[in-house]
Amino acid sequence: MSAQQAGLRLHPGIIASVIFVSLAAVVAAVLIIRKYCFPVNEATYRYSVLRRMEDQSSAVTEEDGDRGPCTVEEESDEDLLE
């Protein structure tokens, strides 16, 4: 019995390659699903950029003691969304 069991052992390289290929397949599947099932909406992306710019400008005015409106000419939200 022990001679038959010794002949049926798997090589550690085979086990490692199966694990590696399985993990690579899972990663590829996740990336493909994210790309094609959850597309990035351009309007949502633009809105997030505008919110980030607004947060940065409000942080700058708070640091300056809120001396009034900024003198730098800014683009309107409508121009950025186009």
Side-chain angles (χ1 to χ4, degrees):
M1 254 306 180
S2 64
Q4 288 178 345
Q5 288 178 350
L8 296 176
R9 289 184 50 188
L10 292 176
H11 190 272
I14 293 174
I15 295 170
S17 64
V18 167
I19 292 172
F20 177 75
V21 169
S22 299
L23 288 175
V26 168
V27 169
V30 167
L31 291 175
I32 290 170
I33 289 170
R34 283 185 63 194
K35 181 175 181 175
Y36 292 107
C37 294
F38 302 104
V40 176
N41 188 352
E42 188 67 26
T44 304
Y45 172 75
R46 294 286 184 154
Y47 178 76
S48 66
V49 169
L50 289 172
R51 291 287 296 182
R52 192 175 322 124
M53 289 172 52
E54 183 180 283
D55 291 342
Q56 288 174 351
S57 68
S58 66
V60 169
T61 55
E62 288 174 3
E63 290 174 358
D64 292 340
D66 201 8
R67 289 182 259 173
C70 186
T71 58
V72 176
E73 188 174 321
E74 296 179 3
E75 294 183 52
S76 71
D77 294 347
E78 294 173 353
D79 293 339
L80 291 173
L81 286 175
E82 291 178 354

